[in-house]
Amino acid sequence: MPTHHTKASLIGIQHLLAMYAGAIAVPLLIGTGLGLSSEALTYLLSIDILMCGVATLLQVTMSRYFGIGLPVMLGCAIQGVGPAILIEQQYGLPAVFGAVIAAGVFLMVFARLFSKIKRLFPPIVTGTVITTIGLTLIPVAIEKMGGGNQSGENFGSFMTLLQAFITIALILVVQGFGKGFIRSISVLIGLVGGTLFTMLTTGISTQPIQQATLFQVPKLFYFGMPTFHLVPIVLMIIIVTVCMVESTGVYFALAELSGKELSTKDLERAYRTEGFAILLGGLVNTFSHTGFSQNVGLVQLSKITSRKPIVIAGSLLVVLGLFPKVGAVAQVIPEPVLGGGMLVMFGMVAVAGLRMLSQTDFSDERNLLTVAISLGFGLGFNMMPTLFAHFPEAIQMFTSNGIVMSSISAVCLNSVFHINKRKQNKMSIADTSL
């Protein structure tokens, strides 16, 4: 019989594996999108792994001011991919991390306020935003399935697409026939299997692993001193607010599984911790963090709500992040394989949003309009960023990001319609009383 510590360690490793593919996806997407060197991308991946561990440990423990004390894993937020690339193109990479630092400080300062305005983010808002996130990222996955560069000679070749579809097929097989924990790491299994297939057929380059140093501690301002500009900061604040909304859903789900009633104070500590983790991440050059929903499924599956496995998983992430060769392994994954895995991940994100929307009363046409307009803005403006080409650059930074536009429109429309609804209800009550 395994000891209690051994069982906790095994479950901790399972939590690490369940979130790993999602955690490395963000720095991979941003790093390749910005054309970073292999060395810089290795640092980005390593520091991301390490800071996921730090953020998790901060959140899982509980003190007077920090930590929600639930078995939650935090990872790099996929919502930040588009904005980070957009900010870098307009203002440079130091501005990305300046915006991350400022957003972290903002979330820490206004943690108490956010804990009291949950009503602004009902399922209709969170579901719309998360659906938009999944759908706007799918084209990125499709491009990677073809090889990552549309103008490349081999883009969409038979072998490239075969690698992508084998990865997808492996994920589907594991999801369809696997059980328990194996199903929870189906994407990771698909990425490993697709990489092995590519290695046996066309071969892969292990140069990033060979070039990576054995040990490296986090460096302050690795990509240069951060710069602070108003528009990127506002953009990143919107993104961390979206992340916070997603995290809130994770916290409530875990609280229900743990038999705990979440108070406003609990949420305040959770938001403050997220802000602090984002601030630390910006200082050593990584991105915003959010609660990972895939680990909620693992808690539900194992029925173990103890925080000890999460502490072990977070500690392992910190240790792994100190060894750049571990981070460099992710660079070995071929683009088509990564695209196949991302297609499934982003599709699952979109479906998670649709599941939230299923809680909405669509017999009310105001709800229909809120979702229709917000999805239309989110997807449409993202596909046609030049629509606002004649507007000031500051406005274009927002209108060209579908996630931001979807978030703003969903919150505003829902608030306006429901204020009007409350007024109508009061009038009808007054009429009946006459």
Side-chain angles (χ1 to χ4, degrees):
M1 289 285 290
T3 65
H4 178 72
H5 183 74
T6 304
K7 191 174 182 180
S9 298
L10 289 172
I11 294 169
I13 292 169
Q14 289 178 359
H15 275 288
L16 188 155
L17 292 173
M19 62 86 70
Y20 193 78
I24 62 171
V26 175
L28 270 176
L29 280 170
I30 294 175
T32 54
L34 298 180
L36 296 183
S37 67
S38 176
E39 182 185 353
L41 186 53
T42 295
Y43 176 82
L44 208 59
L45 285 159
S46 298
I47 203 64
D48 168 65
I49 294 168
L50 185 144
M51 287 308 300
C52 285
V54 170
T56 296
L57 292 173
L58 286 170
Q59 195 65 282
V60 78
T61 51
M62 193 163 60
S63 65
R64 185 177 177 183
Y65 297 106
F66 294 97
I68 197 166
L70 290 170
V72 59
M73 292 287 293
L74 267 67
C76 234
I78 202 76
Q79 295 93 325
V81 172
I85 294 173
L86 207 62
I87 293 169
E88 193 278 339
Q89 289 170 347
Q90 301 272 356
Y91 295 89
L93 199 51
V96 175
F97 300 112
V100 170
I101 291 168
V105 172
F106 175 85
L107 193 51
M108 288 180 70
V109 171
F110 291 99
R112 177 172 294 183
L113 175 65
F114 280 127
S115 68
K116 295 177 180 178
I117 57 172
K118 293 180 292 182
R119 61 186 180 83
L120 290 178
F121 305 101
I124 188 173
V125 173
T126 53
T128 301
V129 172
I130 291 171
T131 301
T132 304
I133 290 166
L135 295 178
T136 53
L137 287 171
I138 283 175
V140 177
I142 296 294
E143 186 175 29
K144 286 194 174 294
M145 284 175 65
N149 182 6
Q150 291 187 47
S151 58
E153 192 177 325
N154 294 320
F155 184 82
S157 67
F158 173 77
M159 187 54 70
T160 298
L161 293 178
L162 184 62
Q163 293 164 13
F165 281 105
I166 280 178
T167 303
I168 295 170
L170 281 171
I171 295 170
L172 292 175
V173 167
V174 174
Q175 275 287 331
F177 300 100
K179 291 183 179 179
F181 165 66
I182 296 298
R183 288 184 66 188
S184 71
I185 60 166
S186 59
V187 174
L188 187 63
I189 291 173
L191 292 175
V192 171
T195 301
L196 287 173
F197 172 78
T198 307
M199 185 173 69
L200 294 172
T201 52
T202 59
I204 57 175
S205 172
T206 58
Q207 194 173 2
I209 300 174
Q210 295 168 16
Q211 290 177 342
T213 56
L214 185 62
F215 183 82
Q216 182 176 270
V217 294
K219 297 177 181 177
L220 279 175
F221 315 129
Y222 178 87
F223 292 100
M225 285 296 292
T227 57
F228 300 91
H229 305 273
L230 180 61
V231 173
I233 288 170
V234 173
L235 185 61
M236 198 57 71
I237 284 172
I238 293 172
I239 293 302
V240 299
T241 304
V242 172
C243 295
M244 181 200 66
V245 172
E246 186 177 359
S247 290
T248 303
V250 170
Y251 299 145
F252 274 107
L254 286 170
E256 188 178 336
L257 289 170
S258 303
K260 180 180 177 180
E261 189 76 28
L262 283 185
S263 66
T264 301
K265 284 285 184 185
D266 292 325
L267 290 174
E268 183 185 337
R269 287 198 312 274
Y271 300 152
R272 188 180 294 115
T273 306
E274 278 196 35
F276 185 51
I278 292 167
L279 167 62
L280 291 178
L283 294 174
V284 293
N285 295 156
T286 189
F287 309 100
S288 55
H289 292 83
T290 188
F292 264 31
S293 56
Q294 50 264 57
N295 292 89
V296 177
L298 199 52
V299 171
Q300 194 169 18
L301 187 73
S302 66
K303 302 290 188 288
I304 294 174
T305 57
S306 164
R307 290 177 286 170
K308 191 172 182 180
I310 306 298
V311 171
I312 292 170
S315 302
L316 284 172
L317 283 168
V318 171
V319 172
L320 291 174
L322 296 172
F323 297 93
K325 287 188 183 295
V326 175
V329 169
Q331 291 190 62
V332 170
I333 304 172
E335 293 266 20
V337 172
L338 194 61
M342 285 177 173
L343 179 71
V344 177
M345 281 194 289
F346 300 156
M348 288 168 75
V349 169
V351 171
L354 292 173
R355 190 184 298 166
M356 290 180 186
L357 285 173
S358 67
Q359 302 171 41
T360 302
D361 177 16
F362 282 116
S363 63
D364 187 335
E365 287 190 3
R366 286 168 291 199
N367 290 338
L368 273 175
L369 277 171
T370 298
V371 176
I373 297 297
S374 301
L375 280 177
F377 281 0
L379 300 178
F381 294 173
N382 203 66
M383 291 168 61
M384 193 62 63
T386 54
L387 183 65
F388 294 88
H390 296 292
F391 282 67
E393 193 177 275
I395 294 176
Q396 291 183 52
M397 285 284 290
F398 295 97
T399 56
S400 60
N401 188 281
I403 297 168
V404 170
M405 293 307 297
S406 179
S407 305
I408 294 172
S409 57
V411 169
C412 293
L413 287 172
N414 182 66
S415 299
V416 168
F417 282 146
H418 281 273
I419 287 171
N420 187 45
K421 187 177 180 180
R422 283 193 291 272
K423 285 181 180 177
Q424 288 179 355
N425 289 340
K426 286 179 181 178
M427 288 174 65
S428 63
I429 290 169
D431 289 342
T432 54
S433 65
L434 289 173

